[in-house]
Amino acid sequence: MKTLHNSAAARALATLLMVLFAVAPAWATCGGGGGGGGGGMSGGGGASSPEVYYVPWKVRSPKDPPAMGLVLYWFPASKNELEKSSLRASRPLSLYATQCISMELADSRIPNADKLLGDSKLPVAVLATPEGTPVTKVENTGGKLKVEQVEKVVETEVKQRETTLDNQLKDAKAKVAAGDKDSAIKLYQSVLEQKCMFPKKAKDAAKELKKLGAEVAAGSNLPELGSPIFEARESARIDLVMKRGLLAELNARYFAAEKLYKRAHSMDPADPTPLRYLGELYRHHIGDWDKARTTFDAILNMQADPLSRAVALHGLGKITIHEGEFKKGLRLMEQSVEEYPLALAYRNLAVYWNSEGDLAKGNEYTQKALALDPKDPYNLIFAAVFMAASGHGDEALKIAQANVDLLPASYNLAAIYAQNGHREKALAFLRRHFFQYERYRAVRTKEMMEARVDAVFDSLREDPAFVALTRDADGRLPMPMKDATMRSGSNK
């Protein structure tokens, strides 16, 4: 977990963030033990009422770039509140995170906390400027924060700022008509500075500046899409379509899920969340990596929240590594966790460094994944693969034996048994992974290739049964030399 200026505050906030992630129930992970699909996150809230729009709450690190628009601080009062708070999921807050409103998890020990909190009792939410000046505050009612109240506070401030920009654009137009070019330019430049929160208005200002012959600074390229849809009724419709898509995905109706995610995207092209779910569906379940790449690129080329960007960067990193560009793929996954902490990306970073023979780094990233959700069985099974590799085979087998019925964990269960010399069980779990869990040949061929080069199956690599089992491997990864460090692709 990233560190804060104050180490004690860092530990406290890290604990809060772990809880925030840990309360999302785990479901459907892929071969290699960890995650994929479902928008790149574990969770959902249950098969009957899944959540889609998780708010990208994040603990600020000194390495993070400074906030540009507004900051919404959430000061929770307890672990129990984090587990149950309505602030965990919200389409409006998720969308505001695409518009330079940073969603930050905080406690009373962060710098400037006294100024932000005042005499308020936790829990409390504070909307503030990037400099830390409170704009408005939402107090708890009966010890609880209500997400609707927090959404309303943010909406009100954004609309006030939007009205100010409308007035500036109107005044600038009047200045041009009156021949006061210099004053008009200053007004348009002021609007342009708000391009992150109000891209469409900033784009209008940039056009007018060019007409006036004024210089538009480099780096002022603005997204083609307008603002996302916040209107309550239409927003609820989009949310419902996305939930139907996720339910279809959870029930392995992948092409039905694709249609629903695409419908949600068409309803609001400026919302990155449907693209995030769609990209992961292509990458993880359907195996159409060309469509996955196009979808992830689209996210990175629009105004997207940190969670969506992190999932896109991870997905591109995974694809890039499979195509043999290992260092480039590594950097993409490193960028992913810099954007937002994903257990999936931490696990794949662990795989990478384990395959490079750096067990210390592999363990470091495994522990980071575990820290986000220490009770998640898929995290535990993934960690057990590395336990088996480091001489703790008995402990790893205990974890495997306790989780043999987890179909999505079949690949890593096979890895544990293979490293402990249980050939028949390893082959049986691999067979279950390839032909029961994986539904499509496009995915299966990639998984078979990754198994062939995975260090955890070194004991089986020349076994005729293993070779026959993986005969449809796509051949995209170089086979390791005997006794050489092997690249592992086990964490899809």
Side-chain angles (χ1 to χ4, degrees):
M1 194 62 59
K2 295 178 178 178
T3 58
L4 296 172
H5 298 288
N6 180 294
S7 60
R11 288 192 295 272
L13 285 172
T15 299
L16 291 177
L17 193 57
M18 289 177 206
V19 173
L20 184 65
F21 277 83
V23 295
W27 47 268
T29 65
C30 66
M41 289 186 69
S42 295
S48 62
S49 58
E51 290 291 353
V52 174
Y53 284 93
Y54 282 100
V55 182
W57 297 106
K58 184 179 179 181
V59 176
R60 173 163 289 278
S61 162
K63 295 180 181 179
D64 289 336
M68 296 179 64
L70 291 166
V71 181
L72 179 62
Y73 292 97
W74 176 17
F75 291 85
S78 65
K79 174 183 175 181
N80 185 61
E81 190 213 345
L82 273 170
E83 291 174 348
K84 299 179 180 179
S85 176
S86 59
L87 269 64
R88 293 177 55 244
S90 161
R91 183 173 188 270
L93 294 183
S94 175
L95 292 178
Y96 283 127
T98 71
Q99 297 186 292
C100 287
I101 300 180
S102 179
M103 304 289 161
E104 299 193 9
L105 193 66
D107 75 0
S108 58
R109 287 169 288 188
I110 68 165
N112 208 38
D114 290 345
K115 184 177 180 180
L116 291 168
L117 290 172
D119 296 327
S120 298
K121 302 294 184 183
L122 302 185
V124 65
V126 184
L127 188 64
T129 67
E131 296 75 30
T133 302
V135 174
T136 188
K137 188 184 298 184
V138 179
E139 305 282 359
N140 70 76
T141 302
K144 295 181 180 180
L145 287 171
K146 296 181 179 180
V147 71
E148 296 83 5
Q149 294 178 348
V150 176
E151 291 169 351
K152 187 64 179 178
V153 159
V154 179
E155 176 190 9
T156 300
E157 178 62 22
V158 170
K159 285 184 175 179
Q160 287 177 351
R161 292 183 174 221
E162 188 172 21
T163 298
T164 298
L165 294 188
D166 286 336
N167 290 334
Q168 287 178 324
L169 288 170
K170 183 179 178 180
D171 290 346
K173 186 175 181 180
K175 296 291 185 185
V176 171
D180 190 351
K181 178 180 173 181
D182 291 342
S183 295
I185 288 174
K186 288 180 180 179
L187 287 166
Y188 284 131
Q189 287 174 335
S190 179
V191 175
L192 182 59
E193 289 173 358
Q194 303 301 314
K195 63 180 182 292
C196 190
M197 286 188 69
F198 303 99
K200 189 175 185 303
K201 295 186 186 303
K203 192 170 185 177
D204 292 341
K207 288 180 181 178
E208 297 303 322
L209 284 168
K210 289 177 181 178
K211 288 180 184 178
L212 294 172
E215 183 178 347
V216 177
S220 294
N221 294 330
L222 299 164
E224 292 297 320
L225 300 172
S227 298
I229 292 171
F230 287 95
E231 192 275 323
R233 183 175 296 180
E234 186 66 10
S235 183
R237 288 182 61 233
I238 295 167
D239 196 3
L240 180 60
V241 171
M242 285 298 298
K243 287 180 177 178
R244 289 175 58 201
L246 181 52
L247 277 172
E249 182 180 342
L250 291 174
N251 287 285
R253 295 187 294 112
Y254 300 132
F255 289 102
E258 178 191 16
K259 289 180 181 178
L260 288 161
Y261 293 152
K262 289 173 77 171
R263 184 190 303 173
H265 172 59
S266 69
M267 293 168 75
D268 189 355
D271 179 357
T273 297
L275 291 177
R276 170 161 60 86
Y277 279 80
L278 193 59
E280 272 297 284
L281 186 78
Y282 288 138
R283 183 193 73 81
H284 174 73
H285 289 302
I286 296 174
D288 190 332
W289 282 11
D290 288 337
K291 286 184 178 179
R293 188 195 302 276
T294 298
T295 306
F296 290 141
D297 283 340
I299 291 172
L300 297 180
N301 288 324
M302 67 190 296
Q303 280 194 268
D305 60 278
L307 171 56
S308 295
R309 288 185 57 81
V311 171
L313 288 163
H314 166 268
L316 291 172
K318 177 67 180 178
I319 293 169
T320 302
I321 286 175
H322 188 86
E323 292 175 343
E325 295 185 78
F326 302 111
K327 294 296 183 184
K328 182 179 178 182
L330 169 65
R331 182 59 194 136
L332 285 165
M333 287 196 289
E334 289 173 337
Q335 288 177 299
S336 172
V337 296
E338 289 168 6
E339 283 278 352
Y340 193 76
L342 291 173
L344 172 60
Y346 281 139
R347 287 191 291 260
N348 268 318
L349 285 164
V351 166
Y352 182 93
W353 287 112
N354 186 58
S355 72
E356 293 291 313
D358 193 331
L359 297 183
K361 274 192 175 181
N363 181 65
E364 175 187 344
Y365 283 114
T366 301
Q367 294 306 314
K368 287 183 176 183
L370 276 170
L372 289 178
D373 194 346
K375 296 180 181 179
D376 175 13
Y378 303 105
N379 266 343
L380 291 172
I381 294 167
F382 179 80
V385 175
F386 289 88
M387 291 168 63
S390 59
H392 298 279
D394 290 343
E395 295 95 321
L397 281 173
K398 288 179 182 178
I399 294 173
Q401 290 161 358
N403 293 281
V404 292
D405 293 333
L406 286 174
L407 178 64
S410 298
Y411 186 106
N412 275 351
L413 290 169
I416 294 168
Y417 282 109
Q419 291 180 103
N420 279 277
H422 296 270
R423 173 184 179 273
E424 293 300 328
K425 284 190 175 181
L427 290 171
F429 279 111
L430 269 181
R431 189 174 295 108
R432 188 175 81 169
H433 171 71
F434 293 140
F435 297 106
Q436 287 182 244
Y437 177 65
E438 298 298 0
R439 299 285 299 276
Y440 300 102
R441 177 180 171 81
V443 179
R444 193 177 296 128
T445 59
K446 295 176 177 67
E447 290 286 284
M448 288 180 175
M449 186 69 246
E450 293 183 351
R452 282 194 167 189
V453 302
D454 200 328
V456 299
F457 297 120
D458 189 27
S459 64
L460 299 176
R461 187 160 288 108
E462 296 181 11
D463 188 309
F466 177 80
V467 173
L469 183 61
T470 59
R471 63 185 175 274
D472 292 329
D474 66 9
R476 297 297 297 271
L477 292 169
M479 291 297 293
M481 301 293 290
K482 278 188 178 181
D483 301 322
T485 297
M486 289 161 285
R487 297 188 183 274
S488 170
S490 69
N491 183 54
K492 184 183 169 196

